[in-house]
Amino acid sequence: MHYGEFMPDMDFSAIAEWMNEQGLPDGPIVEVEPLKGGTQNLMYRFRRGGEAYVFRRPPMHLRAKSNEVLRREMRVLGALESTPVPAPRLIAGCADDSILGGAVFYLMEPIDGFNPATMLPALHAGDPAIRHQMGLNAATGIAALGAVDYEAAGLTDFGKPDGFLERQVGRWMSELESYNALDGYAGPQIPGLEKVAAWLEANRPADWQPGIMHGDCHLANLMFAYDGPALAAIVDWEMCTIGDPLLDLGWLLATWPGSDAIGVLAGSISLAGGLPSPAELVAHYAEHSDRDLSAIDWYAVLACFKLGIVLEGTHARACAGKAPVATGDFLHSLALGLFGRAQKLIGDTHVGLHH
């Protein structure tokens, strides 16, 4: 099948010419196959000159920041190459948007692994000990990311860490407020919203250490090895910035499968069970990090708050006829679940995640 059938608006001759300029193996581009991901960006796997590549570009209909997001991804993947962080290896990036008709793009090595939210190989499905270790390895991987010296990695200007924690509640309350401009949206019907926001402001950690933050750290953005519990790669770096890496651990905890409906975010592995408890995740992270985890409840609550507001945005758009109603209703229920989790943590902080 010709690759034009997969990528109707793609100019593969331009990509091939650009690859030649980078000194990459020559030859026809073959075995093109689309890769499904949880993002708007497009990914395709192909072979050329005996080598396998994953090609990533923004959506065909570019959004205002599409190219900037991909430029940031290229930069952080390049910076992480010499670190122990399991991340896709950047082969080459094109930050020039003129090569491909307005879009930047990059090539990375394919990951030899699977997404545990979409499927579990028989080995992993049949062994709860492997699934338990997968969970612990997720904590190890994000601890490794939080341990990277971002200045030494050349990312000093990659984010705005000053005031990062102080900005969070106001930033996301403003985001929620902006949804009111959508016709048909009656405003957020989220029990506990004001309580959670006030608690976050009142209990914000005074001291923290800036670092590289993935920004969307949950099981569906992790890939694991086919032959065991090893973490093959943390993927989808479009939310990456310099902030407080403990929010990545908080995000993992906020989305971690439990007795409520939030586990649907983790799909297959959530249904299989056998994962470590949130407290085990925190303890394991602590073994691989020198960060102060005494306020980890706060980070988990902030992650519930922030992700809940993000998901509510799709509900608001659905109310305005700009997204499917069923999707909006589903994500609204997840937002309510996240705020429910947040309130449980707030009401139960004396036996919080770090104990």
Side-chain angles (χ1 to χ4, degrees):
M1 187 178 286
H2 190 266
Y3 49 67
E5 295 177 48
F6 286 113
M7 307 177 78
D9 301 318
M10 287 299 304
D11 183 358
F12 257 74
S13 60
I15 295 168
E17 188 176 329
W18 175 82
M19 289 177 72
N20 292 343
E21 290 169 2
Q22 310 308 307
L24 295 169
D26 202 349
I29 290 177
V30 297
E31 296 177 37
V32 179
E33 88 181 273
L35 298 177
K36 289 184 169 57
T39 71
Q40 297 292 324
N41 293 315
L42 302 176
M43 285 197 299
Y44 290 80
R45 182 174 178 141
F46 66 81
R47 297 186 68 83
R48 189 185 195 216
E51 299 292 330
Y53 300 91
V54 170
F55 166 93
R56 184 163 164 95
R57 61 151 289 161
M60 289 298 178
H61 300 289
L62 294 175
R63 299 179 176 187
K65 294 186 177 178
S66 291
N67 281 333
E68 175 59 21
V69 166
L70 233 70
R71 287 189 183 103
R72 287 175 65 83
E73 280 187 28
M74 294 180 217
R75 189 171 164 199
V76 79
L77 291 178
L80 290 173
E81 190 169 331
S82 59
T83 74
V85 178
R89 193 182 81 77
L90 183 72
I91 295 172
C94 180
D96 178 357
D97 62 16
S98 69
I99 303 291
L100 210 60
V104 302
F105 61 92
Y106 64 86
L107 297 175
M108 55 184 164
E109 283 185 353
I111 303 298
D112 186 16
F114 67 93
N115 179 331
T118 56
M119 62 88 74
L120 283 179
L123 174 69
H124 303 68
D127 191 341
I130 287 181
R131 298 194 298 274
H132 188 268
Q133 189 60 47
M134 287 167 71
L136 297 180
N137 290 346
T140 306
I142 61 172
L145 177 62
V148 173
D149 181 335
Y150 73 94
E151 293 175 323
L155 296 174
T156 304
D157 61 342
F158 194 71
K160 298 172 183 171
D162 289 349
F164 177 79
L165 292 187
E166 289 78 6
R167 289 194 298 271
Q168 293 301 304
V169 172
R171 156 80 178 83
W172 291 100
M173 287 299 275
S174 295
E175 179 77 6
L176 189 59
E177 177 72 24
S178 74
Y179 303 159
N180 291 328
L182 290 160
D183 288 338
Y185 181 57
Q189 310 295 312
I190 302 175
L193 171 65
E194 300 294 342
K195 176 185 174 184
V196 171
W199 185 88
L200 285 168
E201 291 286 39
N203 292 276
R204 186 172 54 244
D207 299 308
W208 60 282
Q209 182 185 344
I212 304 173
M213 212 181 98
H214 178 273
D216 193 16
C217 213
H218 54 89
L219 282 164
N221 278 340
L222 303 177
M223 294 182 71
F224 289 86
Y226 285 107
D227 61 358
L231 178 62
I234 304 170
V235 297
D236 280 350
W237 290 83
E238 56 199 59
M239 305 293 289
C240 185
T241 191
I242 305 303
D244 189 337
L246 286 183
L247 187 52
D248 278 343
L249 178 57
W251 206 269
L252 193 68
L253 296 166
T255 56
W256 199 249
S259 58
D260 53 18
I262 306 302
V264 71
L265 291 166
S268 300
I269 197 166
S270 176
L271 294 172
L275 290 167
S277 69
E280 286 179 284
L281 286 181
V282 174
H284 197 73
Y285 186 101
E287 290 173 16
H288 295 83
S289 173
D290 58 4
R291 292 180 180 274
D292 177 4
L293 296 178
S294 60
I296 193 58
D297 292 334
W298 188 88
Y299 292 94
V301 171
L302 176 60
C304 289
F305 173 83
K306 182 173 172 178
L307 182 55
I309 289 173
V310 170
L311 298 180
E312 181 68 9
T314 302
H315 171 60
R317 286 191 290 277
C319 291
K322 296 183 176 182
V325 172
T327 302
D329 289 348
F330 172 63
L331 295 182
H332 177 64
S333 72
L334 284 183
L336 296 181
L338 286 162
F339 273 88
R341 276 197 175 189
Q343 290 178 90
K344 281 183 183 172
L345 284 167
I346 289 170
D348 204 19
T349 48
H350 62 288
V351 288
L353 296 167
H354 60 279
H355 287 268

